[in-house]
Every structure is written in C-alpha cells, then in structure tokens.
Amino acid sequence: MIKVVTVCGNGIGSSLLLRLKVEAIAKDLGIEGEAESCDSNAAVGKNADLYVTVKEFKDIFPETANVCIVESYTNRKKIEPVLAPVLQEMNNN
C-alpha cells in the first residue's frame, strides 16, 4: 500500500480535492493506496511514501522525500499524466 499526502497552503480545500483525484487515479490503475490531505506546515511532519503538491510547495520537503509536482489541484487531465507513472513505479518496487 502506498501512503500519499496531498499538500496545499491551508490543508482545507485544494489538498482535499487533490486527494480525491489521487485516490481515483490509484483505484483506476489498480493500485492500493491511502491518501491524506494536509497543509504545507504539517506536511513535512507526515510520514508518507509520496507527497503530491504544486511547484510552490516543492522546496518545503527534504531532498530525500518522494515528491510529485502537479500543475493543478483539480484537473485530472493535468494530474494523471504526471502522477500515474510515479504510482506505477512505486507499486512495482
């Protein structure tokens, strides 16, 4: 199971919408995952296999963290091409 944390500035709306997209994409790929949404301040303290966020928050994570940068919190057509290969690779390892 892949543990994913979706991250936005306040952890209320955008990261929740992104979490729903991540869950749907993982399900469609047949990948078992658990997703949680949170704000950028709390995200660095979360233990996750993958963090999904936009480029504005990339630098809050240590270089060793597995971070997937997406262009949108809500547009699946922009999220899936970037996220799907990452999820598939993680699932195969």
Side-chain angles (χ1 to χ4, degrees):
M1 177 180 295
I2 300 171
K3 183 171 181 187
V4 179
V5 172
T6 59
V7 182
C8 72
N10 293 321
I12 300 170
S14 300
S15 61
L16 174 60
L17 294 173
L18 180 57
R19 187 193 91 201
L20 296 173
K21 300 297 182 192
V22 168
E23 290 173 339
I25 291 166
K27 182 179 178 183
D28 289 349
L29 293 170
I31 296 172
E32 193 175 336
E34 176 184 306
E36 174 184 356
S37 59
C38 73
D39 66 89
S40 57
N41 290 325
V44 293
K46 298 283 183 181
N47 184 21
D49 300 312
L50 177 65
Y51 300 90
V52 183
T53 190
V54 293
K55 66 182 177 183
E56 289 80 7
F57 297 110
K58 182 182 189 299
D59 293 336
I60 67 170
F61 298 99
E63 295 216 7
T64 56
N66 194 6
V67 182
C68 180
I69 302 300
V70 295
E71 291 183 37
S72 171
Y73 286 110
T74 59
N75 188 333
R76 183 172 173 156
K77 290 181 182 181
K78 290 184 177 183
I79 299 166
E80 191 165 9
V82 177
L83 180 63
V86 174
L87 290 174
Q88 289 170 324
E89 183 179 331
M90 292 179 76
N91 192 51
N92 292 334
N93 289 335

